[in-house]
Amino acid sequence: MSMDIVLVSMPMADVERPSIALGLLKAVLTQRGLDAKIFYGNVRYLDYFGPSAYRLSRVASPEEALVDWLFAPVAFPEHTPPAEEYLAALLRRNPHLGKVEQVKITGNLLELRRRCVEFVDWMVQAVLRQQPRIVGCTSMFQQHVASLALLRKIREQAPEVVTMIGGANCESIMGKTTHQNYRWVDYVVSGEADAYFAEFCEAVLRQGRDLPAAELPEGVFGPVHREIGYPHASYGDGVPRSITVSMAGMPAPDYDDYYQELDGSLYSRHIIPGTPIEAARGCWWGAKHHCTFCGLNGHGMDYRSKQADTVLAELDVLHKRYGTSRFEAVDNIIEMDYFNTLLPTLVESGRDFSFFFETKSNLKKSQIELMSRAGIRWIQPGIEALHSDVLKLIRKGVTAIRNVQLLKWCRQYGVRVGWNMIAGFPGEQDSWYAEIAEWLSLIEHFQPCSLVSLRYDRYSPYFNNAGAWGIELEPVEFYRFAYPLPPESLKNQVYFFSDRAARLPPYLKEGPLPGRPGLEAVRDAIGQWLDRWNNGAAMLSARRHDGVLEVTDTRSCAVQAVQHFSGLAALVLDACDGIATPRQIANFCAAAGHDAGSAAIDAAVQDLLERKLLLSLDNGLLSLVLAEPVTLLDWHLNAPSGTFSPRPVPTQIRAQIRP
């Protein structure tokens, strides 16, 4: 039986979750009465090569274009730059792979690259068995060359099939460049397609490649544009992109094909799936103050969100259909009104769901407690720095002490925090990092970060206005090994860039950082923090009995393992549970019936600072002491975004994992 439309998610989309982009498109196609099927080429890649090769494909960061390079011989057989040059560059950039493993890694990657030709042929035959009339790929991060490879082979073996591609790698100029250079792709979609995709596919099913320009939705490039020229937009980089104005009426994504693929996978026991949801698009903060390094949303920063009851209904549909209780919100930032609507309803209804959301870091204590009770136990709050001058430089709209306060309250209420400290911002001073290093060990009982070098993304303010920041950007060096394009076209094709006068090496975990003693000190402190956390997290907590506050301290910087406080000292710790000024401390003590003078309060504060129980930062004071009981962090295997394990997860452990 023939299939109207086959949609494909190629490697290296993560196998532990379905594609929400394709899930939404299939849902709108089905609503329209069109037959559609999603092929999860990423899951089939795992089945074809096995877990070891799959893990090897993930050793590089997205800007190193490893998977693009692996599939380049299929997509661009005429493009033959020396493979050893790419591998040498990869190993230079990743010294952590180790000299002992270089020969093994190089040989394995070369063999994997050779076998990707066979894999694409295998995928093509599986797709064509469906007798599709349209084949479309989604493309984000390192899916682009693999998708182009599949579509090229489809065109060679079944020239009557209409091909299309869309996704983040096809936004505006990237989509136009894709369409201009790869003629085996008939249609390229720039932007959000869910509002018109079904109607567009109906038109393609009727007219194939012959759709006139007037009938193409904004942001769709078709064969006609290769003849008459491409449309222009008055916004962004001058290339149109489509945007879905409202999220009302969107169906729940259709993940049937993913769970069927997963059930039939040879390595299903390695995968604990997560379920993506979408409650909002755009970024309400970025619409006002675009963080300098953020390249998300392309030219579609406008914020749109679903009503809380719509989100609840969608959660219930997905829970009932797939038996899942773990949900990863793909939103750039949580809708703040949900703290008054969605979250209280989740608490009151007793739905035992677990969530991941992205947030800002200036949340209130009550909001974090509510998130924890509602099941939002995993967040990415965009901390990025622990010095207020860095945060001001990159337009985060928050101070360092507020970031520390968030880490404290998340640890208090058992909310896992995913965050990186980014270094290498244009205009930063090394002395700022030296100041961070002086106090960083005080918070080793909070969840640690990784230290990463700044990456320049397309659409970020750094990219859009590079000259203002004194930087000169060029495509990351690895792309030239994957794409057969001249420099200007390559610049228009790719998402990641580097500064010609790089301030820092791209990998910061080892080796000297000339002229950056402050950053080296921070790097070493973070390394110790991570080691301590992974070998049994430290704790600084207090319990109250008989009017005495008993503080237990297992941090490496602890002055004393157990300390007891009463009277003014205990009141000062209580007053500084949230950020407080000396005046606020005095008011707190007076309200508690302890009308101490400023000299006594100053002395108590100084004593607590010397005991390393308070942090003084940004003209504020914050107690670092958690209140017992401290809510345990959710088990890492319960990650709402899903988990891939290099070894099968034993049955007895799977039984303990939230469905």
Side-chain angles (χ1 to χ4, degrees):
M1 185 181 75
S2 64
M3 180 71 60
D4 288 332
I5 303 155
V6 169
L7 304 174
V8 186
S9 178
M10 288 293 281
M12 279 301 292
D14 293 336
V15 297
E16 53 264 40
R17 68 188 71 90
S19 166
I20 189 167
L22 295 185
L24 281 169
L25 294 183
K26 184 184 176 185
V28 299
L29 291 170
T30 302
Q31 277 187 337
R32 196 86 170 194
L34 297 171
D35 293 325
K37 181 177 178 60
I38 302 173
F39 272 72
Y40 282 90
N42 53 339
V43 176
R44 294 182 180 224
Y45 183 90
L46 172 62
D47 279 352
Y48 194 87
F49 291 108
S52 295
Y54 176 79
R55 289 183 69 206
L56 182 61
S57 304
R58 295 172 67 163
V59 298
S61 58
E63 68 269 24
E64 290 163 354
L66 173 58
V67 179
D68 290 320
W69 176 79
L70 290 174
F71 283 92
V74 193
F76 316 118
E78 69 284 358
H79 183 54
T80 57
E84 60 272 16
E85 288 188 20
Y86 172 84
L87 292 169
L90 182 70
L91 291 172
R92 278 197 308 272
R93 187 175 165 114
N94 293 276
H96 59 292
L97 295 178
K99 294 182 179 179
V100 175
E101 299 179 9
Q102 281 189 16
V103 174
K104 180 180 178 182
I105 288 174
T106 298
N108 287 348
L109 286 175
L110 287 171
E111 174 64 11
L112 187 57
R113 192 177 196 228
R114 184 189 65 79
R115 293 189 61 204
C116 278
V117 178
E118 307 165 1
F119 169 74
V120 173
D121 287 337
W122 181 63
M123 276 292 300
V124 168
Q125 295 309 310
V127 169
L128 292 182
R129 277 196 293 271
Q130 302 296 315
Q131 301 178 43
R133 298 172 63 190
I134 298 173
V135 174
C137 290
T138 185
S139 178
M140 184 172 69
F141 294 132
Q142 292 190 82
Q143 289 183 290
H144 208 58
V145 176
S147 298
L148 292 172
L150 178 79
L151 296 179
R152 182 167 189 166
K153 287 292 187 178
I154 293 281
R155 172 54 45 84
E156 291 173 359
Q157 298 185 33
E160 73 281 2
V161 175
V162 176
T163 58
M164 60 180 64
I165 190 170
N169 286 329
C170 297
E171 290 262 341
S172 61
I173 191 66
M174 296 188 293
K176 177 182 174 182
T177 303
T178 295
H179 195 263
Q180 286 175 315
N181 287 280
Y182 316 121
R183 297 185 69 89
W184 60 89
V185 180
D186 295 315
Y187 295 98
V188 174
V189 177
S190 164
E192 302 167 6
D194 33 25
Y196 64 76
F197 191 67
E199 184 178 356
F200 167 59
C201 285
E202 285 181 333
V204 173
L205 289 170
R206 289 192 307 268
Q207 301 180 65
R209 303 181 180 98
D210 298 326
L211 277 173
E215 294 185 25
L216 291 174
E218 182 178 18
V220 176
F221 310 121
V224 65
H225 290 130
R226 294 188 179 116
E227 307 302 325
I228 68 171
Y230 288 85
H232 179 79
S234 60
Y235 52 83
D237 52 21
V239 180
R241 72 181 296 277
S242 54
I243 185 168
T244 301
V245 176
S246 172
M247 300 187 72
M250 284 188 181
D254 184 333
Y255 297 141
D256 290 0
D257 295 312
Y258 171 78
Y259 283 100
Q260 289 171 11
E261 293 255 18
L262 190 60
D263 288 344
S265 170
L266 298 170
Y267 302 103
S268 60
R269 292 182 62 214
H270 292 250
I271 300 170
I272 302 165
T275 306
I277 60 168
E278 184 182 42
R281 291 182 185 176
C283 180
W284 51 260
W285 172 255
K288 298 181 292 185
H289 303 284
H290 195 168
C291 300
T292 58
F293 59 91
C294 177
L296 297 177
N297 300 298
H299 305 299
M301 193 69 76
D302 292 347
Y303 193 69
R304 298 140 287 158
S305 61
K306 296 178 181 177
Q307 294 294 319
D309 56 354
T310 301
V311 178
L312 287 167
E314 186 172 308
L315 292 171
D316 290 339
V317 166
L318 295 172
H319 175 66
K320 182 178 180 180
R321 184 181 298 171
Y322 305 116
T324 181
S325 298
R326 296 181 294 121
F327 300 98
E328 176 195 21
V330 300
D331 312 2
N332 293 157
I333 192 168
I334 193 170
E335 166 64 74
M336 293 304 291
D337 190 54
Y338 289 165
F339 287 99
N340 302 315
T341 55
L342 178 63
L343 273 61
T345 303
L346 285 168
V347 173
E348 294 162 7
S349 69
R351 290 175 174 86
D352 187 21
F353 295 162
S354 176
F355 300 94
F356 165 90
F357 269 90
E358 294 192 35
T359 73
K360 263 185 70 64
S361 62
N362 56 351
L363 295 173
K364 300 175 182 178
K365 182 179 182 180
S366 59
Q367 290 172 324
I368 297 171
E369 181 184 17
L370 177 59
M371 285 196 304
S372 178
R373 291 192 291 121
I376 303 178
R377 302 286 298 278
W378 302 69
I379 66 170
Q380 182 177 319
I383 292 176
E384 271 89 52
L386 290 179
H387 195 287
S388 291
D389 286 331
V390 179
L391 292 162
K392 182 179 180 180
L393 184 70
I394 61 177
R395 305 201 293 237
K396 290 298 295 185
V398 71
T399 59
I401 196 169
R402 283 196 173 274
N403 281 344
V404 175
Q405 180 176 256
L406 176 88
L407 291 172
K408 172 189 175 179
W409 287 339
C410 285
R411 186 76 170 92
Q412 178 71 60
Y413 293 112
V415 176
R416 281 192 178 268
V417 182
W419 68 290
N420 293 316
M421 187 184 298
I422 304 175
F425 295 110
E428 72 179 19
Q429 298 179 24
D430 192 62
S431 60
W432 297 345
Y433 290 91
E435 292 171 13
I436 296 171
E438 291 177 359
W439 57 264
L440 199 57
S441 64
L442 299 181
I443 62 170
E444 70 172 27
H445 55 306
F446 302 158
Q447 193 159 348
C449 64
S450 294
L451 179 66
V452 299
S453 185
L454 173 66
R455 183 185 68 197
Y456 295 99
D457 295 359
R458 183 182 293 278
Y459 308 121
S460 69
Y462 284 140
F463 177 86
N464 293 335
N465 198 12
W469 299 94
I471 54 179
E472 187 178 357
L473 299 182
E474 60 185 1
V476 172
E477 62 173 322
F478 298 98
Y479 284 125
R480 66 183 176 90
F481 297 99
Y483 289 97
L485 298 175
E488 191 58 35
S489 295
L490 186 63
K491 182 178 179 180
N492 290 333
Q493 176 71 86
V494 302
Y495 187 74
F496 299 119
F497 293 80
S498 58
D499 182 11
R500 289 182 187 273
R503 292 161 175 79
L504 289 172
Y507 187 77
L508 300 178
K509 289 188 179 179
E510 59 186 59
L513 302 175
R516 300 300 303 268
L519 185 58
E520 283 197 20
V522 167
R523 180 188 65 186
D524 294 343
I526 288 176
Q528 295 168 13
W529 189 5
L530 285 164
D531 287 343
R532 184 68 191 273
W533 182 269
N534 292 331
N535 290 308
M539 181 55 72
L540 172 61
S541 61
R543 63 188 182 96
R544 198 180 304 271
H545 58 92
D546 297 331
V548 176
L549 201 63
E550 182 179 274
V551 176
T552 301
D553 192 352
T554 66
R555 297 171 300 164
S556 58
C557 67
V559 173
Q560 195 172 328
V562 179
Q563 303 179 67
H564 295 89
F565 300 96
S566 59
L568 181 59
L571 283 173
V572 170
L573 285 173
D574 288 342
C576 295
D577 179 55
I579 301 164
T581 63
R583 178 180 292 277
Q584 289 170 326
I585 295 171
N587 291 340
F588 183 91
C589 293
H594 199 299
D595 198 7
S598 60
I601 291 175
D602 289 346
V605 166
Q606 185 59 38
D607 180 62
L608 293 169
L609 286 169
E610 292 173 0
R611 294 174 183 270
K612 302 184 185 300
L613 304 181
L614 288 183
L615 174 65
S616 177
L617 197 63
D618 299 324
N619 299 313
L621 293 160
L622 176 68
S623 168
L624 302 175
V625 182
L626 303 172
E628 296 183 12
V630 175
T631 305
L632 294 177
L633 294 170
D634 198 9
W635 194 19
H636 72 281
L637 289 178
N638 278 332
S641 55
T643 303
F644 171 78
S645 171
R647 296 182 179 82
V649 180
T651 302
Q652 61 270 28
I653 293 180
R654 294 188 78 92
Q656 302 172 47
I657 299 170
R658 182 189 293 270

